[in-house]
Amino acid sequence: SQQGEEDPQALSIQEGENATMNCSYKTSINNLQWYRQNSGRGLVHLILIRSNEREKHSGRLRVTLDTSKKSSSLLITASRAADTASYFCALASGGSYIPTFGRGTSLIVHP
Amino acid sequence: ETGVTQTPRHLVMGMTNKKSLKCEQHLGHNAMYWYKQSAKKPLELMFVYSLEERVENNSVPSRFSPECPNSSHLFLHLHTLQPEDSALYLCASSQDGLTWGAFFGQGTRLTVV
């Protein structure tokens, strides 16, 4: 199994701005998932994008997947202070459905 | 709430104690997981159960012992732990992982003294 690598490790923005974080990986995947974790709590599943999909939306979230570059991005538009959290990408690859996680991006949105 | 409940939320135990972490889901999922989250490390997959059979054991020390008595419940039995085992232990469940993501509990914050 492989882990994704999130970039940047930390991101600090003002409320109302957009936040973009990226996830890169090395070998082909079945799907890629994005999760959010508020401090010391469980992870919340945000979006799952399959390897044959290029873009998905959910509210203010937009996820893209470029399999030729082996990378995905998560865009949060019009960020809010409540979006402050760590964001993780998780990969399911090979014949496995089991998600393996990267180190995450820590996002701080200042009011 | 995600539908996955973990108890206790916090646990302090001595190195000679025996304790158990409990996870419960009533989402009808057929897979359950234990992850360990330590500071400044990626989430580490510990165990996976699919249809109550253990399908993954990621070289976890034997002082951690999982149990899945049915598809709704998952336990992690702990004995003779070390201080470096202090971490947030997260349980998750999923159904047909190629289609849907995993649902996580709130975690158990474990401190070994």
Side-chain angles (χ1 to χ4, degrees), chain A residues 28-92:
Chain A
S28 63
I29 56 172
N30 301 318
N31 67 57
L32 186 148
Q33 304 162 40
W34 284 94
Y35 291 81
R36 182 186 74 233
Q37 184 181 33
N38 292 91
S39 180
R41 316 250 343 233
L43 280 73
V44 175
H45 178 251
L46 298 176
I47 290 182
L48 181 151
I49 187 163
R50 298 189 195 90
S51 58
N52 61 354
E53 297 175 313
R54 292 297 166 257
E55 188 170 313
K56 288 188 91 165
H57 297 257
S58 176
R60 294 182 295 111
L61 305 180
R62 173 176 168 249
V63 167
T64 59
L65 178 64
D66 186 333
T67 53
S68 66
K69 293 181 179 176
K70 294 187 172 58
S71 70
S72 174
S73 66
L74 169 66
L75 168 67
I76 304 173
T77 59
S79 63
R80 305 167 183 167
D83 294 328
T84 294
S86 292
Y87 291 81
F88 296 86
C89 71
L91 310 175

Side-chain angles (χ1 to χ4, degrees), chain B residues 7-8 11-22 34 46-47 60-66 75-82 85 87 89 108-112:
Chain B
T7 54
L11 178 62
V12 179
M13 60 186 287
M15 289 190 283
T16 58
N17 291 160
K18 287 185 182 181
K19 296 285 184 184
S20 295
L21 309 185
K22 180 182 175 182
W34 281 116
M46 298 177 73
F47 302 103
V60 179
S62 59
R63 57 186 184 269
F64 295 91
S65 174
F75 295 89
L76 188 62
H77 304 299
L78 316 170
H79 64 97
T80 58
L81 294 192
Q82 304 297 311
D85 296 322
Y89 288 84
T108 295
R109 173 67 63 186
L110 174 67
T111 303
V112 181

Side-chain angles (χ1 to χ4, degrees), chain B residues 14-75:
Chain B
M15 289 190 283
T16 58
N17 291 160
K18 287 185 182 181
K19 296 285 184 184
S20 295
L21 309 185
K22 180 182 175 182
C23 177
E24 188 171 351
Q25 61 93 6
H26 294 289
L27 301 168
H29 289 168
N30 60 8
M32 296 188 76
Y33 314 75
W34 281 116
Y35 286 89
K36 175 184 177 184
Q37 188 176 36
S38 306
K40 302 196 188 303
K41 283 187 173 183
L43 229 64
E44 299 171 58
L45 179 67
M46 298 177 73
F47 302 103
V48 181
Y49 277 81
S50 176
L51 299 171
E52 300 154 46
E53 296 289 326
R54 193 190 310 181
V55 297
E56 186 114 359
N57 176 348
N58 263 8
S59 303
V60 179
S62 59
R63 57 186 184 269
F64 295 91
S65 174
E67 179 190 1
C68 188
N70 55 61
S71 59
S72 300
H73 294 88
L74 184 65
F75 295 89

